[in-house]
Amino acid sequence: MTTEATPLPGTGQPPAAQVRRVTDDLLRRTEHRLRSFLTAERTHRAAVDERAATAVDALSTLVAAGGKRIRPAFCIAGYLAAGGDPHDPGIVAAAAGLEMLHVSALVHDDILDDSGRRRGQPTVHTVFSELHQTRGWQGESRRYGEGVAILVGDLALVYSDELMTQAPPALLTEWHALRSEVLIGQYLDVTAAAEFCVDPQLSRLIALIKSGRYTIHRPLVMGANAAQRPDLAAAFATYGEAVGEAFQLRDDLLDAFGDSAQTGKPTGLDFSQHKMTLLLGWAMQRDEHIRALITEPGHTPEEVRARLLDTGVPHSVEQHIAGLVERGCAALAQAPVAPAWREELTAMAVRADRRTK
C-alpha cells in the first residue's frame, strides 16, 4: 500500500495545477454522466407514456440549474488524494450517485421548508401545484404538487442507487451509512424545529449529522475507500466533520443575512420554519425576546435580523466557523497524501467557508 499519493504526471505543470486539472476533468465527466443518465431514462419512460417522462424532466431541470456539486468534488478529491486512477469510470459513477442523492434531498427539503425557489428556479412542488391549478385538474393543487414532488425525490433516490452500483464496491459501506445518517439528521432537524427549545448541543449534533458527515466527511472517505486507502479514514473524518459543520453554519448565516439573488433560494426560511440552528440557539441564550420575534405573528425577518446582530452572535458564529476550518485543515498535516493534495483540500475548506451562496 502506498502512503504518499502523488498527482498525475502533467505536461510541465506544477503539482497544484495538475491537481486542479484532473479534478476539473472528473467533475466534467460527472456532469456528463448525470445528464446522459437522465436523457436515457427520459427516452425510456417517454416510450411508455410521455407523462411518465415529466418526472424525469423535473430532475433534469434541477440538475441543469447548476449547484455547487460539493459532494462529488470531495468524493473525487478523496479518491485522487488517495492515489486513485482518474481513468476509472467507477469514481465518476460514485460522484454522480452522490449528486443524485443530493437532488433527492433538495426536492424533499423544499417541501419540508415550504420553499418556493431552488437554484434560482421554482421548486418542484411549486411547479406541479401551479400546473394542477392552471389546468383545472381534480383535487387540491397543493396536495398534488407536494405528492408529485415526493415521488420525484424518491425517483432521484432510486437513481442514485442505480448509479452507485457501478462504483467501486469498497465504498458501499460508507455510502449506506451516509444515506441513513442524512435522513436521521433531517428527522432531528424537523423535530427540533417543532420543539423549538434552546439546545445548542442538539443544534451542533444536527449540523454534524445532516451536513458535516453528509457533505464532506463521508464523500471524502468514500473516495479514499474506492482507491483502497482505508488508512485515510481517520484524518478525513476529522477534517470532513469540522469543515462540514462549518459549511452548515455558513448556510445558517446565509439564510439569515444572505442575498436570495445570490443563494438562489429564499432567505429567512430558518425563521419561518422555526429551525433551531446554532445561530438562533446561541442568540436566544443571550436575548429571550428573539423567541417571540420568531414564533409570534406580526414580526418581520428584518426585525429578527436586527435583533440577532444586536446579540453579537453572528460574529461568534463566524469565529466558530474559522476555528472549525482551522481544526479540520490541521488534521491533514500528518495525513499520508501528497503536499499538493493537502493544499487543495485546505483551499476547498476555505472556499466552503467563504462562499456567498
Side-chain angles (χ1 to χ4, degrees), residues 11-346:
T11 54
Q13 294 176 313
Q18 294 177 40
V19 162
R20 189 73 263 148
R21 175 178 58 81
V22 71
T23 301
D24 287 346
D25 178 62
L26 279 170
L27 283 171
R28 282 191 294 270
R29 288 165 55 193
T30 298
E31 200 71 23
H32 180 265
R33 185 76 183 91
L34 281 167
R35 299 190 186 209
S36 61
F37 177 93
L38 289 170
T39 297
E41 185 64 14
R42 190 201 190 284
T43 301
H44 176 59
R45 298 302 166 193
V48 178
D49 190 304
E50 186 63 30
R51 283 169 293 195
T54 307
V56 184
D57 289 340
L59 294 177
S60 296
T61 298
L62 191 51
V63 168
K68 294 177 283 294
R69 306 294 194 255
I70 192 166
R71 291 150 197 86
F74 274 102
C75 180
I76 287 168
Y79 178 76
L80 294 173
D85 177 7
H87 303 294
D88 185 347
I91 194 60
V92 173
L98 277 166
E99 185 61 23
M100 193 67 78
L101 174 67
H102 187 53
V103 168
S104 171
L106 294 181
V107 175
H108 288 161
D109 276 359
D110 289 337
I111 301 169
L112 291 170
D113 294 341
D114 194 22
S115 177
R117 298 193 72 77
R118 170 70 67 178
R119 295 178 175 174
Q121 299 186 1
T123 51
V124 174
H125 69 277
T126 301
V127 168
F128 282 97
S129 292
E130 291 177 354
L131 176 67
H132 182 280
Q133 187 173 29
T134 300
R135 298 194 176 177
W137 289 343
Q138 298 298 309
E140 183 184 346
S141 296
R142 179 186 177 96
R143 186 172 177 81
Y144 173 79
E146 292 181 348
V148 169
I150 289 170
L151 295 172
V152 168
D154 287 349
L155 185 63
L157 181 63
V158 172
Y159 287 165
S160 71
D161 239 7
E162 188 173 336
L163 286 161
M164 205 59 70
T165 61
Q166 301 161 34
L171 58 68
L172 293 180
T173 298
E174 204 72 19
W175 165 246
H176 294 315
L178 179 153
R179 288 193 308 161
S180 58
E181 201 166 53
V182 70
L183 291 173
I184 292 297
Q186 290 288 69
Y187 166 77
L188 289 174
D189 192 31
V190 169
T191 301
E195 294 175 354
F196 205 60
C197 61
V198 178
D199 188 348
Q201 185 175 354
L202 176 60
S203 297
R204 288 198 64 190
L205 176 64
I206 292 170
L208 174 63
I209 293 176
K210 71 171 281 193
S211 185
R213 292 174 182 164
Y214 164 66
T215 303
I216 298 178
H217 163 205
R218 296 207 186 277
L220 262 177
V221 175
M222 283 174 63
N225 287 352
Q228 303 296 324
R229 291 289 305 279
D231 58 300
L232 290 172
F236 281 177
T238 302
Y239 166 91
E241 290 188 1
V243 178
E245 183 183 350
F247 181 90
Q248 179 59 51
L249 295 179
R250 177 61 61 199
D251 250 9
D252 297 342
L253 287 172
L254 287 172
D255 181 85
F257 302 103
D259 180 353
S260 59
Q262 286 189 304
T263 63
K265 56 185 178 180
T267 56
L269 284 177
D270 288 347
F271 304 156
S272 62
Q273 297 300 314
H274 302 161
K275 292 295 183 72
M276 185 46 69
T277 63
L278 187 65
L279 171 69
L280 288 179
W282 278 354
M284 285 192 288
Q285 284 183 325
R286 298 185 189 182
D287 183 350
E288 293 181 358
H289 186 59
I290 288 175
R291 173 184 288 274
L293 288 178
I294 292 174
T295 59
E296 296 177 3
H299 299 289
T300 65
E302 288 72 24
E303 288 180 272
V304 180
R305 293 185 186 99
R307 198 84 180 198
L308 286 173
L309 289 171
D310 288 343
T311 67
V313 165
H315 178 66
S316 297
V317 173
E318 289 283 6
Q319 289 181 312
H320 187 53
I321 288 173
L324 286 167
V325 171
E326 183 178 355
R327 187 173 81 212
C329 292
L332 299 174
Q334 302 303 318
V337 297
W341 280 108
R342 289 195 196 96
E343 293 174 13
E344 177 62 14
L345 288 168
T346 297

